[in-house]
Amino acid sequence: MLVVGHQGTSEGVAPGTLAAYEQALADGVEMVEVDVRRTGDGEFRALHDPVDDRSAARLAEVAALAAAAGARLMVDLKEIGAEADALAVVLAALPPERVVVSTMEDVSVAALRAALPELEVGLSVGREWRRPYLRSRLSEVFPAARARACGATFLSVNKRLAPTGILRRAPLPVYLWTVDEERELRRFLGDPRLRGVVTNRPRRALELL
């Protein structure tokens, strides 16, 4: 079971900052997750939301920290169109076997699988539902066809979908996000159906493991 530090960590430090990644890696996390957006200055930064926040760590800095720590990096792409550029930054510091990529965009999964077949690229489900709502919701709860069509090698699943039986039906390895409550950490860290748990509390998750 992998504990994945979401945006590094939120335990006593601002997530997405260089300090957050340094702390998570110092705590012994084997994989950190970085939400990637391109800011107005052309930099790829660790941004969950679409704001031009220069305090967020640069993607290159996060990749370098992971490389120095011997850790793995989960790159969660938030935008369409710059997938290859973002991964070029990461792969300059880390070998492909220490990188996984997730995105909610089927087209991005397919593009990356075609361009970089050596990478693990996963389809993220549960982030939002689009119109038509019923069809979109069904494609989140039953994602096998989507995953197969775009060539995903794993699923990144919102914990809110767990009660639907998706973990039982999942045709691919699963990372579950974002698990922070004590009761849920205890439950999911012991779930053999999961490859990893993404959390804002990686230190606590490691203690429970």
Short mmCIF file of all heavy atoms in Angstrom, two decimals, residues 48-99:
data_model
loop_
_atom_site.label_atom_id
_atom_site.label_comp_id
_atom_site.label_asym_id
_atom_site.label_seq_id
_atom_site.Cartn_x
_atom_site.Cartn_y
_atom_site.Cartn_z
N HIS A 48 -3.56 23.47 -7.29
CA HIS A 48 -4.81 22.71 -7.36
C HIS A 48 -5.88 23.50 -8.08
O HIS A 48 -6.65 22.94 -8.88
CB HIS A 48 -5.28 22.36 -5.95
CG HIS A 48 -6.45 21.43 -5.90
ND1 HIS A 48 -7.76 21.89 -6.05
CD2 HIS A 48 -6.53 20.09 -5.72
CE1 HIS A 48 -8.58 20.86 -5.96
NE2 HIS A 48 -7.87 19.76 -5.77
N ASP A 49 -5.94 24.79 -7.81
CA ASP A 49 -6.96 25.66 -8.40
C ASP A 49 -6.34 26.61 -9.42
O ASP A 49 -5.15 26.93 -9.34
CB ASP A 49 -7.66 26.46 -7.30
CG ASP A 49 -8.35 25.55 -6.29
OD1 ASP A 49 -9.09 24.65 -6.72
OD2 ASP A 49 -8.12 25.73 -5.08
N PRO A 50 -7.15 27.10 -10.37
CA PRO A 50 -6.62 27.94 -11.45
C PRO A 50 -6.35 29.37 -11.01
O PRO A 50 -7.01 30.33 -11.43
CB PRO A 50 -7.72 27.88 -12.51
CG PRO A 50 -8.97 27.65 -11.74
CD PRO A 50 -8.58 26.78 -10.57
N VAL A 51 -5.37 29.55 -10.14
CA VAL A 51 -4.94 30.88 -9.72
C VAL A 51 -3.45 31.00 -9.99
O VAL A 51 -2.72 30.01 -9.95
CB VAL A 51 -5.22 31.12 -8.22
CG1 VAL A 51 -6.71 31.15 -7.95
CG2 VAL A 51 -4.55 30.07 -7.36
N ASP A 52 -3.00 32.21 -10.27
CA ASP A 52 -1.59 32.44 -10.58
C ASP A 52 -0.85 32.73 -9.27
O ASP A 52 -0.58 33.88 -8.93
CB ASP A 52 -1.46 33.59 -11.56
CG ASP A 52 -0.10 33.59 -12.24
OD1 ASP A 52 0.79 32.85 -11.79
OD2 ASP A 52 0.07 34.34 -13.22
N ASP A 53 -0.57 31.68 -8.52
CA ASP A 53 0.03 31.82 -7.19
C ASP A 53 1.52 31.52 -7.27
O ASP A 53 1.94 30.37 -7.37
CB ASP A 53 -0.66 30.85 -6.22
CG ASP A 53 -0.15 31.00 -4.79
OD1 ASP A 53 0.78 31.80 -4.58
OD2 ASP A 53 -0.69 30.32 -3.91
N ARG A 54 2.35 32.55 -7.19
CA ARG A 54 3.80 32.36 -7.33
C ARG A 54 4.43 31.75 -6.08
O ARG A 54 5.63 31.44 -6.10
CB ARG A 54 4.47 33.69 -7.66
CG ARG A 54 3.89 34.41 -8.88
CD ARG A 54 3.97 33.55 -10.14
NE ARG A 54 3.19 34.11 -11.23
CZ ARG A 54 3.65 35.02 -12.08
NH1 ARG A 54 4.87 35.47 -11.96
NH2 ARG A 54 2.87 35.47 -13.05
N SER A 55 3.65 31.57 -5.01
CA SER A 55 4.20 30.91 -3.83
C SER A 55 4.18 29.39 -3.97
O SER A 55 4.83 28.68 -3.22
CB SER A 55 3.42 31.31 -2.57
OG SER A 55 2.11 30.76 -2.59
N ALA A 56 3.41 28.89 -4.95
CA ALA A 56 3.34 27.45 -5.18
C ALA A 56 4.67 26.95 -5.74
O ALA A 56 5.35 27.65 -6.51
CB ALA A 56 2.21 27.12 -6.14
N ALA A 57 5.04 25.75 -5.36
CA ALA A 57 6.31 25.19 -5.83
C ALA A 57 6.30 24.99 -7.34
O ALA A 57 5.27 24.68 -7.93
CB ALA A 57 6.56 23.86 -5.13
N ARG A 58 7.44 25.18 -7.95
CA ARG A 58 7.59 24.87 -9.37
C ARG A 58 7.64 23.35 -9.55
O ARG A 58 8.21 22.64 -8.72
CB ARG A 58 8.86 25.51 -9.93
CG ARG A 58 8.83 27.03 -9.97
CD ARG A 58 10.14 27.56 -10.52
NE ARG A 58 10.11 29.01 -10.68
CZ ARG A 58 10.43 29.87 -9.73
NH1 ARG A 58 10.81 29.41 -8.53
NH2 ARG A 58 10.37 31.17 -9.94
N LEU A 59 7.07 22.90 -10.65
CA LEU A 59 7.05 21.46 -10.94
C LEU A 59 8.47 20.90 -10.96
O LEU A 59 8.73 19.81 -10.44
CB LEU A 59 6.34 21.20 -12.26
CG LEU A 59 6.28 19.75 -12.74
CD1 LEU A 59 5.61 18.85 -11.72
CD2 LEU A 59 5.56 19.68 -14.08
N ALA A 60 9.39 21.64 -11.56
CA ALA A 60 10.78 21.17 -11.63
C ALA A 60 11.38 21.00 -10.24
O ALA A 60 12.17 20.07 -10.01
CB ALA A 60 11.61 22.14 -12.46
N GLU A 61 11.02 21.89 -9.32
CA GLU A 61 11.53 21.79 -7.95
C GLU A 61 11.00 20.54 -7.26
O GLU A 61 11.73 19.84 -6.55
CB GLU A 61 11.13 23.03 -7.15
CG GLU A 61 11.75 24.32 -7.64
CD GLU A 61 11.19 25.55 -6.93
OE1 GLU A 61 9.97 25.55 -6.62
OE2 GLU A 61 11.96 26.51 -6.69
N VAL A 62 9.72 20.27 -7.46
CA VAL A 62 9.10 19.09 -6.84
C VAL A 62 9.73 17.82 -7.39
O VAL A 62 10.05 16.88 -6.65
CB VAL A 62 7.58 19.09 -7.07
CG1 VAL A 62 6.95 17.84 -6.46
CG2 VAL A 62 6.95 20.35 -6.46
N ALA A 63 9.91 17.77 -8.71
CA ALA A 63 10.52 16.59 -9.33
C ALA A 63 11.94 16.39 -8.81
O ALA A 63 12.36 15.25 -8.54
CB ALA A 63 10.52 16.75 -10.84
N ALA A 64 12.68 17.47 -8.65
CA ALA A 64 14.05 17.36 -8.15
C ALA A 64 14.08 16.86 -6.71
O ALA A 64 14.94 16.05 -6.34
CB ALA A 64 14.75 18.72 -8.26
N LEU A 65 13.14 17.32 -5.89
CA LEU A 65 13.07 16.84 -4.51
C LEU A 65 12.76 15.35 -4.46
O LEU A 65 13.37 14.60 -3.69
CB LEU A 65 11.99 17.62 -3.74
CG LEU A 65 12.33 19.04 -3.30
CD1 LEU A 65 11.11 19.69 -2.67
CD2 LEU A 65 13.50 19.04 -2.32
N ALA A 66 11.80 14.92 -5.27
CA ALA A 66 11.44 13.51 -5.31
C ALA A 66 12.64 12.68 -5.76
O ALA A 66 12.92 11.60 -5.22
CB ALA A 66 10.25 13.28 -6.23
N ALA A 67 13.36 13.17 -6.76
CA ALA A 67 14.53 12.45 -7.26
C ALA A 67 15.58 12.31 -6.18
O ALA A 67 16.14 11.23 -5.98
CB ALA A 67 15.11 13.18 -8.47
N ALA A 68 15.85 13.38 -5.46
CA ALA A 68 16.87 13.36 -4.42
C ALA A 68 16.50 12.43 -3.27
O ALA A 68 17.37 11.82 -2.64
CB ALA A 68 17.12 14.77 -3.90
N ALA A 69 15.19 12.30 -3.01
CA ALA A 69 14.72 11.47 -1.90
C ALA A 69 14.52 10.01 -2.31
O ALA A 69 14.21 9.17 -1.47
CB ALA A 69 13.40 12.03 -1.36
N GLY A 70 14.68 9.72 -3.58
CA GLY A 70 14.43 8.36 -4.05
C GLY A 70 12.96 8.01 -4.06
O GLY A 70 12.59 6.82 -4.00
N ALA A 71 12.11 9.03 -4.13
CA ALA A 71 10.66 8.83 -4.08
C ALA A 71 10.06 8.83 -5.48
O ALA A 71 10.74 9.11 -6.47
CB ALA A 71 10.01 9.92 -3.22
N ARG A 72 8.78 8.52 -5.55
CA ARG A 72 8.03 8.54 -6.79
C ARG A 72 7.14 9.78 -6.81
O ARG A 72 6.84 10.37 -5.77
CB ARG A 72 7.19 7.28 -6.95
CG ARG A 72 8.01 6.00 -6.93
CD ARG A 72 7.12 4.77 -7.07
NE ARG A 72 6.56 4.69 -8.41
CZ ARG A 72 5.57 3.86 -8.75
NH1 ARG A 72 5.02 3.08 -7.84
NH2 ARG A 72 5.11 3.83 -9.98
N LEU A 73 6.71 10.16 -8.02
CA LEU A 73 5.91 11.37 -8.19
C LEU A 73 4.64 11.05 -8.96
O LEU A 73 4.69 10.43 -10.03
CB LEU A 73 6.72 12.43 -8.94
CG LEU A 73 6.07 13.81 -9.12
CD1 LEU A 73 5.82 14.47 -7.77
CD2 LEU A 73 6.94 14.71 -10.00
N MET A 74 3.50 11.46 -8.39
CA MET A 74 2.23 11.40 -9.10
C MET A 74 1.92 12.80 -9.63
O MET A 74 1.79 13.75 -8.85
CB MET A 74 1.10 10.93 -8.18
CG MET A 74 -0.27 10.97 -8.85
SD MET A 74 -1.63 10.42 -7.77
CE MET A 74 -1.44 8.64 -7.90
N VAL A 75 1.82 12.90 -10.93
CA VAL A 75 1.56 14.19 -11.59
C VAL A 75 0.09 14.23 -11.97
O VAL A 75 -0.36 13.47 -12.82
CB VAL A 75 2.44 14.35 -12.84
CG1 VAL A 75 2.18 15.70 -13.50
CG2 VAL A 75 3.92 14.20 -12.48
N ASP A 76 -0.68 15.11 -11.33
CA ASP A 76 -2.11 15.23 -11.64
C ASP A 76 -2.30 16.45 -12.53
O ASP A 76 -2.22 17.59 -12.07
CB ASP A 76 -2.92 15.37 -10.35
CG ASP A 76 -4.42 15.28 -10.60
OD1 ASP A 76 -4.81 14.68 -11.62
OD2 ASP A 76 -5.20 15.79 -9.78
N LEU A 77 -2.52 16.20 -13.81
CA LEU A 77 -2.65 17.28 -14.78
C LEU A 77 -4.05 17.87 -14.73
O LEU A 77 -5.04 17.16 -14.85
CB LEU A 77 -2.36 16.75 -16.18
CG LEU A 77 -0.93 16.22 -16.42
CD1 LEU A 77 -0.84 15.59 -17.80
CD2 LEU A 77 0.09 17.32 -16.25
N LYS A 78 -4.11 19.19 -14.60
CA LYS A 78 -5.39 19.87 -14.46
C LYS A 78 -5.87 20.53 -15.76
O LYS A 78 -7.00 21.01 -15.81
CB LYS A 78 -5.28 20.95 -13.37
CG LYS A 78 -4.93 20.43 -11.99
CD LYS A 78 -6.02 19.56 -11.43
CE LYS A 78 -5.77 19.21 -9.98
NZ LYS A 78 -6.80 18.32 -9.43
N GLU A 79 -5.01 20.58 -16.77
CA GLU A 79 -5.36 21.31 -17.99
C GLU A 79 -5.02 20.48 -19.22
O GLU A 79 -4.09 19.66 -19.21
CB GLU A 79 -4.61 22.64 -18.02
CG GLU A 79 -4.96 23.55 -16.87
CD GLU A 79 -4.00 24.72 -16.70
OE1 GLU A 79 -2.84 24.61 -17.14
OE2 GLU A 79 -4.40 25.73 -16.12
N ILE A 80 -5.75 20.74 -20.28
CA ILE A 80 -5.50 20.08 -21.56
C ILE A 80 -4.58 20.94 -22.41
O ILE A 80 -4.68 22.16 -22.41
CB ILE A 80 -6.83 19.85 -22.32
CG1 ILE A 80 -7.74 18.91 -21.53
CG2 ILE A 80 -6.60 19.30 -23.72
CD1 ILE A 80 -9.12 18.74 -22.16
N GLY A 81 -3.68 20.29 -23.14
CA GLY A 81 -2.91 21.01 -24.13
C GLY A 81 -1.42 21.13 -23.87
O GLY A 81 -0.66 21.42 -24.78
N ALA A 82 -1.00 20.94 -22.61
CA ALA A 82 0.42 21.07 -22.30
C ALA A 82 0.95 19.82 -21.63
O ALA A 82 1.93 19.87 -20.90
CB ALA A 82 0.64 22.29 -21.42
N GLU A 83 0.30 18.70 -21.89
CA GLU A 83 0.68 17.46 -21.22
C GLU A 83 2.14 17.08 -21.47
O GLU A 83 2.88 16.78 -20.53
CB GLU A 83 -0.23 16.30 -21.68
CG GLU A 83 -1.71 16.50 -21.38
CD GLU A 83 -2.46 17.16 -22.53
OE1 GLU A 83 -1.79 17.73 -23.43
OE2 GLU A 83 -3.70 17.09 -22.53
N ALA A 84 2.55 17.09 -22.73
CA ALA A 84 3.91 16.68 -23.07
C ALA A 84 4.93 17.63 -22.48
O ALA A 84 6.00 17.21 -22.01
CB ALA A 84 4.06 16.59 -24.58
N ASP A 85 4.64 18.92 -22.48
CA ASP A 85 5.57 19.90 -21.92
C ASP A 85 5.75 19.69 -20.42
O ASP A 85 6.87 19.76 -19.90
CB ASP A 85 5.07 21.33 -22.17
CG ASP A 85 5.14 21.72 -23.64
OD1 ASP A 85 5.85 21.03 -24.41
OD2 ASP A 85 4.50 22.71 -24.02
N ALA A 86 4.66 19.44 -19.72
CA ALA A 86 4.74 19.22 -18.28
C ALA A 86 5.55 17.97 -17.97
O ALA A 86 6.39 17.96 -17.06
CB ALA A 86 3.34 19.12 -17.68
N LEU A 87 5.30 16.90 -18.72
CA LEU A 87 6.02 15.66 -18.46
C LEU A 87 7.49 15.76 -18.84
O LEU A 87 8.34 15.09 -18.24
CB LEU A 87 5.35 14.50 -19.18
CG LEU A 87 4.32 13.73 -18.35
CD1 LEU A 87 5.00 13.06 -17.16
CD2 LEU A 87 3.21 14.64 -17.85
N ALA A 88 7.82 16.61 -19.81
CA ALA A 88 9.23 16.82 -20.15
C ALA A 88 9.98 17.39 -18.96
O ALA A 88 11.13 17.03 -18.69
CB ALA A 88 9.35 17.73 -21.36
N VAL A 89 9.33 18.28 -18.22
CA VAL A 89 9.95 18.86 -17.02
C VAL A 89 10.20 17.78 -15.99
O VAL A 89 11.28 17.71 -15.38
CB VAL A 89 9.03 19.97 -16.43
CG1 VAL A 89 9.55 20.44 -15.08
CG2 VAL A 89 8.92 21.13 -17.40
N VAL A 90 9.22 16.92 -15.79
CA VAL A 90 9.34 15.85 -14.79
C VAL A 90 10.40 14.83 -15.18
O VAL A 90 11.25 14.44 -14.38
CB VAL A 90 7.98 15.15 -14.59
CG1 VAL A 90 8.12 13.92 -13.71
CG2 VAL A 90 6.97 16.12 -13.99
N LEU A 91 10.38 14.41 -16.44
CA LEU A 91 11.27 13.35 -16.90
C LEU A 91 12.71 13.82 -17.04
O LEU A 91 13.62 13.00 -17.20
CB LEU A 91 10.76 12.76 -18.21
CG LEU A 91 9.43 12.03 -18.10
CD1 LEU A 91 8.92 11.60 -19.48
CD2 LEU A 91 9.54 10.81 -17.18
N ALA A 92 12.93 15.11 -16.94
CA ALA A 92 14.31 15.62 -16.89
C ALA A 92 14.96 15.29 -15.55
O ALA A 92 16.18 15.28 -15.44
CB ALA A 92 14.32 17.13 -17.13
N ALA A 93 14.13 15.02 -14.54
CA ALA A 93 14.65 14.74 -13.19
C ALA A 93 14.43 13.30 -12.76
O ALA A 93 15.20 12.77 -11.95
CB ALA A 93 14.00 15.68 -12.17
N LEU A 94 13.38 12.66 -13.26
CA LEU A 94 12.99 11.34 -12.79
C LEU A 94 12.86 10.36 -13.95
O LEU A 94 12.36 10.72 -15.02
CB LEU A 94 11.65 11.40 -12.06
CG LEU A 94 11.64 12.05 -10.68
CD1 LEU A 94 10.22 12.42 -10.29
CD2 LEU A 94 12.25 11.12 -9.65
N PRO A 95 13.24 9.10 -13.75
CA PRO A 95 13.02 8.10 -14.79
C PRO A 95 11.54 7.73 -14.87
O PRO A 95 10.80 7.90 -13.88
CB PRO A 95 13.86 6.91 -14.32
CG PRO A 95 13.93 7.07 -12.83
CD PRO A 95 13.94 8.54 -12.57
N PRO A 96 11.08 7.25 -16.01
CA PRO A 96 9.64 6.96 -16.18
C PRO A 96 9.07 6.01 -15.14
O PRO A 96 7.90 6.15 -14.76
CB PRO A 96 9.58 6.33 -17.58
CG PRO A 96 10.78 6.85 -18.29
CD PRO A 96 11.84 7.00 -17.24
N GLU A 97 9.86 5.05 -14.66
CA GLU A 97 9.33 4.08 -13.70
C GLU A 97 9.05 4.70 -12.34
O GLU A 97 8.42 4.06 -11.49
CB GLU A 97 10.29 2.90 -13.56
CG GLU A 97 11.66 3.25 -13.04
CD GLU A 97 12.66 3.56 -14.14
OE1 GLU A 97 12.23 3.88 -15.28
OE2 GLU A 97 13.87 3.46 -13.86
N ARG A 98 9.48 5.93 -12.10
CA ARG A 98 9.20 6.60 -10.84
C ARG A 98 8.17 7.72 -11.00
O ARG A 98 8.02 8.57 -10.12
CB ARG A 98 10.49 7.14 -10.22
CG ARG A 98 11.33 6.01 -9.61
CD ARG A 98 12.71 6.44 -9.23
NE ARG A 98 12.72 7.55 -8.29
CZ ARG A 98 13.83 8.22 -7.95
NH1 ARG A 98 15.00 7.85 -8.46
NH2 ARG A 98 13.77 9.21 -7.11
N VAL A 99 7.44 7.68 -12.12
CA VAL A 99 6.43 8.70 -12.41
C VAL A 99 5.12 8.03 -12.76
O VAL A 99 5.09 7.06 -13.54
CB VAL A 99 6.89 9.60 -13.59
CG1 VAL A 99 5.80 10.63 -13.92
CG2 VAL A 99 8.21 10.30 -13.27
#
